[in-house]
Amino acid sequence: MDNGEEAVPETAAGSREEQLQWYGEKLEESQVSEDFLDSLDQFSYRTASALLAEPGGGENENYSPLSLYYALGMAAMGADGETLTEMEELLGVESPEELAEGCRTLYENLFYTQKRQDVLMETEGEEPEEKQPSVSLANSLWADESLSMKEDYRSLLGEDFYASSFSVDFKQDETWGQMENWIAEHTGGVLQPQLPRDKATLLALINTLYYYGAWEKEFPAEQTAEDVFHRADGTESQGDFMHVSLSDSRYEEGDGWKAASLGLRGDGRGDEMVFVLPDEGVSVEDLLSSPEKLGQALDLGEEYRPVDWTVPRFAFGSSIDGNHLLESLGVTRMFTDLAEFPGISDRRLQVSKVIQETHIGLDEKGVEGAAYTALMMMETAAPMNPETPVEMRLDRPFVYGIRSGTGGWLFLGVVRDPFAAE
């Protein structure tokens, strides 16, 4: 097993011009198929609709569909039977090969885009202390040293998911600290998780996602002012609101909502942050009530309008119970002792826990987001040994007794002829 070496695609060498050309060629080779991108979109709308529409007591909620997708994707590569069928249906793919191809290509596309952007920023002489646009995925596999893992599975995750591999002892607190430090390192220190320690864990699959995007046009800090936010229950809160006027924001109106986007700087990625505002009298729960409604509101067209933006400045963290979410979407078998993951190990494994934590924050300069998803596996309960059933055919005289819960016999008797006249 790898000793925790970082698994990343190949990087360019040479002059800046040579690096830019090389990364440009790699980007051409790593174009993600429209079918896979559509599968990601449908997964995002379906999971977000199920998750975010639940009553949250007025709390803010944040969620990373992509991080969950990669964690589930890594697990699916070792699944079979009905377990695999349920996962493929939710992930929107028809085979493990299609899943692996899509995840590898997207990973490489994001990686090479970021590397090319880094070279461009150096060329343009950006101030090094200025926070630069950034997006990065990272995957890792943590296997207990007692688990005999199939080499093909470990190699597949390394090649198609660029997952770093670690051999650990989950009974040691040090292992959980190492995983927490790995997550913190790969989310730029934004997340400092406290993982639930379960010494029965045999395998952990972890994805991290970090994003920073700078607004194409910053919000002037001098225009930020305190204002009122109106809660759904009619009460109010106060905080800082940012203001900017743009002549060309993507904009669309629908049944009960209007939506617009703010552009984010990057090397031609076309990043944007979309905001959907329900009409007066329409709740956010109504917009989240179905994947179709959510997708329609978030999928803006090509109309551009001048928009006067007033956006609250905020930052918060959120966590989700992935077990509950996935079970509500029909992915249930992998959580039971009927789970089928023969591609990982000859030992019978089931998923014990899926958790995700995220952070989102935006200010006058840009938006920062970080997420990790951890999928834990343990051994299933030992299957019952089938034995020939014992026959109790009461077709001859028998004795019976009725015993109380306190240990006393309430009735004792014998049946010599159950059909004799009373």
Side-chain angles (χ1 to χ4, degrees):
M1 176 167 289
D2 291 347
N3 199 22
E5 294 182 10
E6 193 73 9
V8 294
E10 184 183 0
T11 55
S15 67
R16 287 175 174 172
E17 291 73 20
E18 290 171 331
Q19 290 181 55
L20 286 174
Q21 180 179 350
W22 193 84
Y23 284 129
E25 293 171 354
K26 286 296 182 181
L27 281 172
E28 286 296 322
E29 298 172 5
S30 61
Q31 293 298 309
V32 187
S33 74
E34 290 297 326
D35 286 346
F36 187 72
L37 291 176
D38 183 64
S39 294
L40 282 174
D41 281 349
Q42 297 310 312
F43 173 85
S44 301
Y45 302 148
R46 188 175 173 189
T47 52
S49 175
L51 175 69
L52 303 179
E54 291 188 357
E59 295 180 356
N60 299 315
E61 295 177 275
N62 187 46
Y63 161 58
S64 173
L66 188 60
S67 180
L68 179 60
Y69 194 96
Y70 266 85
L72 288 174
M74 288 191 287
M77 298 312 298
D80 199 0
E82 188 175 331
T83 301
L84 177 60
T85 299
E86 289 181 352
M87 299 179 80
E88 287 178 336
E89 194 280 329
L90 180 60
L91 295 172
V93 295
E94 296 183 357
S95 68
E97 292 76 17
E98 180 185 346
L99 176 63
E101 170 71 17
C103 287
R104 184 186 69 253
T105 305
L106 178 57
Y107 190 107
E108 292 175 350
N109 190 274
L110 291 172
F111 180 85
Y112 293 131
T113 297
Q114 184 61 49
K115 287 297 183 182
R116 186 174 188 275
Q117 178 179 279
D118 292 344
V119 175
L120 281 172
M121 291 299 181
E122 294 173 5
T123 303
E124 294 170 2
E126 295 281 337
E127 291 294 327
E129 66 271 10
E130 187 96 4
K131 185 179 285 190
Q132 298 302 321
S134 176
V135 59
S136 62
L137 285 172
N139 295 310
S140 60
L141 175 156
W142 305 72
D144 193 82
E145 54 195 21
S146 70
L147 179 66
S148 180
M149 177 176 293
K150 294 186 176 179
E151 183 62 24
D152 286 349
Y153 178 72
R154 186 195 64 81
S155 297
L156 187 151
L157 290 198
E159 293 168 4
D160 290 328
F161 289 79
Y162 292 98
S164 304
S165 296
F166 301 83
S167 179
V168 296
D169 181 358
F170 282 106
K171 294 181 177 61
Q172 302 296 321
D173 284 342
E174 179 184 359
T175 293
W176 300 92
Q178 290 172 348
M179 291 195 295
E180 291 164 351
N181 290 337
W182 188 89
I183 291 169
E185 176 186 349
H186 288 83
T187 56
V190 174
L191 296 177
Q192 301 285 337
Q194 294 291 316
L195 295 172
R197 282 147 168 76
D198 184 349
K199 294 182 178 180
T201 301
L202 290 176
L203 180 67
L205 303 172
I206 301 177
N207 168 272
T208 59
L209 169 63
Y210 176 80
Y211 179 85
Y212 178 77
W215 306 123
E216 285 186 344
K217 182 175 181 181
E218 292 184 6
F219 289 82
E222 64 275 10
Q223 293 188 26
T224 298
E226 189 174 276
D227 210 330
V228 174
F229 185 86
H230 303 276
R231 303 188 185 101
D233 63 2
T235 60
E236 298 178 346
S237 63
Q238 288 191 326
D240 287 338
F241 283 74
M242 307 179 298
H243 302 273
V244 70
S245 293
L246 301 178
S247 60
D248 56 351
S249 292
R250 285 215 297 164
Y251 179 85
E252 192 162 336
E253 295 180 3
D255 183 15
W257 54 266
K258 57 185 176 181
S261 72
L262 284 169
L264 292 157
R265 286 195 285 118
D267 178 27
R269 281 202 305 254
D271 293 357
E272 61 182 350
M273 188 168 185
V274 178
F275 298 83
V276 182
L277 181 67
D279 292 348
E280 293 282 353
V282 178
S283 68
V284 291
E285 287 74 22
D286 182 66
L287 292 179
L288 293 164
S289 62
S290 74
E292 293 74 21
K293 276 191 176 183
L294 180 60
Q296 184 182 24
L298 289 171
D299 189 15
L300 301 183
E302 295 303 319
E303 180 181 359
Y304 287 80
R305 295 274 295 276
V307 175
D308 291 329
W309 287 92
T310 299
V311 181
R313 190 169 60 188
F314 62 82
F316 66 88
S318 189
S319 63
I320 69 167
D321 177 351
N323 295 43
H324 175 69
L325 170 63
L326 295 170
E327 287 173 338
S328 73
L329 293 168
V331 179
T332 59
R333 194 176 179 93
M334 71 180 188
F335 297 108
T336 73
D337 58 10
L338 297 176
E340 302 135 303
F341 291 101
I344 298 177
S345 172
D346 288 331
R347 293 174 70 175
R348 298 181 65 242
L349 302 175
Q350 70 183 74
V351 176
S352 55
K353 187 176 288 293
V354 179
I355 54 178
Q356 183 182 102
E357 292 187 12
T358 61
H359 168 86
I360 186 77
L362 57 85
D363 59 18
E364 288 85 354
K365 292 185 177 295
V367 58
E368 181 177 53
Y372 81 85
T373 303
L375 186 151
M376 311 290 188
M377 288 188 178
M378 64 180 185
E379 193 161 21
T380 64
M384 296 288 288
N385 291 325
E387 297 180 354
T388 302
V390 176
E391 186 175 20
M392 281 290 287
R393 184 175 175 82
L394 301 177
D395 59 353
R396 56 189 181 274
F398 59 92
V399 174
Y400 69 87
I402 299 176
R403 186 178 177 89
S404 78
T406 59
W409 289 104
L410 301 182
F411 299 95
L412 287 171
V414 59
V415 173
R416 294 186 175 88
D417 179 1
F419 311 118
E422 294 183 2

